[in-house]
Amino acid sequence: MKKYVKGNVNWVGYIDWELKWFHGEDYSIKNGSSQNAYLIEEEKTVLIDTVWLPHRFEFVENLEKEIDLHKIDFIVANHGECDHSGSLVALMEKIPGTPIYCTANAVKSIEGQYGKQNWNFHVVKTGDSVDIGNGKQLVFVEMRMLHWPDSMATYLTGDNILFSNDAFGQHYAVEELFNDKADPCLLNKEAMKYFVNILNPFTPILIKKLEEIGKLNLPIEMIAPSHGAIWRENPMQIVNKYAEWAAAYQENQVTVVYDTMWEGTAKLAHAIAAELHKQSPETVVKVFNLAKADKNEIMTEIFKSRAIAVGSPTVSNSYLSSVAGWLEFLKQLKFKNKKAAAFGCYGWSGESVKLLQEKLREAGFTVVEENVRSQWNPAEADFTAIPALAMALLA
Ligand code: FEO
């Protein structure tokens, strides 16, 4: 069922309350999500994006209930990833030859995924526009690497809506569609989680793009992303948040993460957390077991932190596999302006702390020399090393 957005624009997407994972099982979904598609009915009728492959038949069926598909003058494919292009094959079987406006890279990604179908692609780049009648135009803005090379945003003049695709989105189901109807805490939490886990590696590009969009002087009355709530009330709040988050963001928080074999490293983790709180009661301190907590949620906490402590016991001359996988993810996200320390227990060789320090440096953290290495179980002498580690992280 379509839902009214603004002017002659309606939402025709899919709200997925049951989704638990995204990008395979790489992104956890806690509060549902949506794939937002939009139908513009001016003198020209335009469909902006579609929905994910599993929902393609329902999407086309619903669209047919709202409009004669042959009335669609063209489709805008802002992004080729299958959560937005996944219904194209089913749709184009019904209306072959309908023009698809997208970037040159989107042609590559769409044809790469669905094969060469001889679709009627119209390649556009930043600043290109198309008249849709009633004095309104669609203006295209390439959003290269935000977050794919093919990503694009589309701006509707007159109604002043920016269809931003993935940028400014959240994996958050909002039946009422709009940010002013959503739970503000959840909205902010999910918007930040999305930024951290999907966009943070591209912050240098994002900063330039936000400047570029600013210079276009487009009045923005609404930001309609391809996931989650539409920013209707104070839409620029999310643009301002992105600018803040992209500038090596941190709060007064220190996060301790670890995994443990026989609870020794766990004891150190909690002792470090207690010492951090003792030395700086105003600092928020959080502790996560990497093997048990949600990795995407942990990354959001790391993003908010000014420093982290990472612990693992030594196993087979290295660290635990849970920590190894997490460190690789940490490196991918390219966090900036954060300190780190390492700690861990060992029985025999004891390499984990040194290796953790190396990996944290590779991930872009400023690693403090203070560390805690504890043979067998943490003893009094090990705990006496913790105040110096905490002080170095808080300095
Ligand atoms: Fe929501 Fe990059 O797809």
Side-chain angles (χ1 to χ4, degrees):
M1 188 202 303
K2 72 180 181 184
K3 296 184 183 190
Y4 180 70
V5 175
K6 187 176 193 287
N8 291 315
V9 180
N10 281 280
W11 174 94
V12 288
Y14 186 91
I15 296 181
D16 199 337
W17 287 96
E18 295 184 10
L19 195 66
K20 291 291 170 212
W21 294 101
F22 191 76
H23 283 164
E25 294 198 0
D26 206 44
Y27 189 112
S28 61
I29 305 280
K30 304 291 186 193
N31 296 288
S33 187
S34 65
Q35 300 113 47
N36 299 334
Y38 302 93
L39 187 67
I40 305 172
E41 295 170 272
E42 297 292 350
E43 287 174 38
K44 302 272 188 206
T45 299
V46 185
L47 175 68
I48 298 199
D49 294 322
T50 69
V51 308
W52 190 25
L53 202 67
H55 313 306
R56 62 194 184 283
F57 298 122
E58 196 175 337
F59 171 75
V60 173
E61 200 177 302
N62 285 340
L63 201 56
E64 277 178 317
K65 286 181 193 156
E66 304 297 344
I67 190 172
D68 174 359
L69 297 182
H70 293 93
K71 282 192 175 166
I72 296 174
D73 291 287
F74 62 92
I75 298 162
V76 174
N78 276 323
H79 176 29
E81 198 166 9
C82 64
D83 49 330
H84 309 298
S85 67
S87 303
L88 277 176
V89 173
L91 181 62
M92 296 305 279
E93 277 176 9
K94 304 254 183 182
I95 48 170
T98 303
I100 300 174
Y101 285 68
C102 63
T103 62
N105 278 329
V107 177
K108 286 185 201 165
S109 70
I110 289 169
E111 289 192 335
Q113 291 170 92
Y114 311 113
K116 286 189 190 293
Q117 312 264 356
N118 209 22
W119 288 343
N120 182 11
F121 289 110
H122 287 231
V123 170
V124 294
K125 49 190 189 319
T126 296
D128 288 352
S129 61
V130 56
D131 212 317
I132 57 169
N134 297 328
K136 296 180 185 178
Q137 289 187 320
L138 290 177
V139 182
F140 304 107
V141 183
E142 287 170 273
M143 301 279 277
R144 190 179 289 238
M145 295 318 297
L146 296 172
H147 67 124
W148 270 23
D150 67 7
S151 298
M152 176 175 88
T154 299
Y155 177 77
L156 171 61
T157 67
D159 295 308
N160 302 333
I161 303 173
L162 182 70
F163 298 97
S164 58
N165 198 260
D166 282 331
F168 311 124
Q170 334 89 46
H171 284 302
Y172 177 27
V174 182
E175 195 69 43
E176 300 80 11
L177 283 191
F178 298 103
N179 67 320
D180 47 288
K181 298 287 186 186
D183 177 322
C185 291
L186 274 182
L187 179 62
N188 187 62
K189 179 180 159 75
E190 292 298 346
M192 182 185 272
K193 179 179 171 183
Y194 187 97
F195 178 93
V196 172
N197 285 275
I198 293 179
L199 294 168
N200 198 68
F202 310 110
T203 49
I205 300 169
L206 177 65
I207 290 167
K208 284 190 188 137
K209 184 53 67 177
L210 292 177
E211 286 169 4
E212 187 189 315
I213 292 173
K215 282 181 191 155
L216 291 174
N217 274 327
L218 301 171
I220 294 175
E221 288 178 25
M222 191 178 276
I223 295 177
S226 56
H227 298 289
I230 297 170
W231 301 91
R232 173 172 70 178
E233 186 179 271
N234 184 14
M236 293 308 285
Q237 67 179 287
I238 189 62
V239 179
N240 296 335
K241 283 270 186 206
Y242 267 40
E244 189 185 352
W245 292 341
Y249 181 79
Q250 57 175 238
E251 297 176 13
N252 186 8
Q253 178 171 327
V254 180
T255 300
V256 181
V257 296
Y258 72 97
D259 195 2
T260 191
M261 290 174 75
W262 299 109
E263 299 303 321
T265 302
K267 279 184 196 149
L268 292 178
H270 292 291
I272 290 168
E275 181 64 25
L276 286 162
H277 175 68
K278 184 177 156 194
Q279 289 190 22
S280 180
E282 68 279 9
T283 299
V284 173
V285 178
K286 295 191 182 179
V287 184
F288 297 98
N289 181 324
L290 290 171
K292 294 180 181 173
D294 180 304
K295 71 173 192 273
N296 305 108
E297 305 271 342
I298 294 175
M299 286 310 182
T300 311
E301 298 301 332
I302 300 293
F303 176 68
K304 286 155 64 180
S305 300
R306 59 187 172 114
I308 66 172
V310 181
S312 172
T314 297
V315 54
S316 303
N317 307 109
S318 184
Y319 30 68
L320 284 166
S321 60
S322 56
V323 181
W326 184 82
L327 285 168
E328 193 60 30
F329 189 23
L330 186 74
K331 186 176 163 188
Q332 287 170 17
L333 294 186
K334 297 189 169 74
F335 291 122
K336 293 184 180 64
N337 193 28
K338 298 185 193 301
K339 286 184 182 176
F343 62 95
C345 292
Y346 66 99
W348 307 107
S349 53
E351 293 93 337
S352 71
V353 166
K354 187 165 176 290
L355 293 173
L356 286 173
Q357 288 176 326
E358 282 170 17
K359 284 289 174 188
L360 288 165
R361 269 185 216 106
E362 277 177 32
F365 286 76
T366 303
V367 176
V368 301
E369 286 309 315
E370 290 80 358
N371 63 78
V372 185
R373 283 175 80 241
S374 172
Q375 191 167 23
W376 307 116
N377 282 316
E380 201 173 326
D382 303 313
F383 289 114
T384 59
I386 288 177
L389 181 152
M391 194 176 292
L393 285 181
L394 290 166

